[in-house]
């Protein structure tokens, strides 16, 4: 079970983002819609989706932006 239930739970956390992908492009809009300042999120830019999973499992990041089908 995740400790993150709402966007404000991400404040101050390290969030894995793949620069250039769709979710990475939408993340600033999601923050704006939730009225959260982007400077309060610690973005960690990673090269691909697999590296986001690895970083989460290795505790390098606290969460990541993504979706799975």
């Amino acid at each position: 079970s995740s400790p993150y239930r709402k966007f404000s739970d991400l404040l101050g956390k390290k969030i894995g983002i793949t620069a250039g992908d769709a979710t990475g492009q939408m993340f600033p809009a999601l923050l704006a819609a939730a009225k959260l300042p982007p400077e309060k999120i610690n973005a960690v830019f990673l090269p691909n989706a697999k590296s986001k999973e690895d970083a989460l499992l290795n505790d390098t990041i606290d969460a990541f932006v993504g979706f799975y089908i």
Side-chain angles (χ1 to χ4, degrees):
S1 172
S2 173
Y4 309 116
R5 299 286 179 216
K6 53 190 183 285
F7 277 115
S8 62
D9 293 340
L10 299 175
L11 290 174
K13 302 298 181 193
K14 295 175 288 186
I15 309 301
I17 300 172
T18 307
D21 73 2
T23 56
Q25 296 297 314
M26 292 185 326
F27 192 60
L30 292 172
L31 290 175
K35 297 182 178 24
L36 298 176
E39 63 273 7
K40 299 286 185 173
I41 301 289
N42 298 315
V44 177
F45 293 97
L46 299 164
N48 55 51
K50 176 71 171 118
S51 63
K52 290 191 287 190
E53 293 174 7
D54 292 341
L56 185 65
L57 293 172
N58 293 323
D59 294 324
T60 304
I61 59 175
D62 300 304
F64 64 81
V65 179
F67 60 89
Y68 288 88
I69 297 175

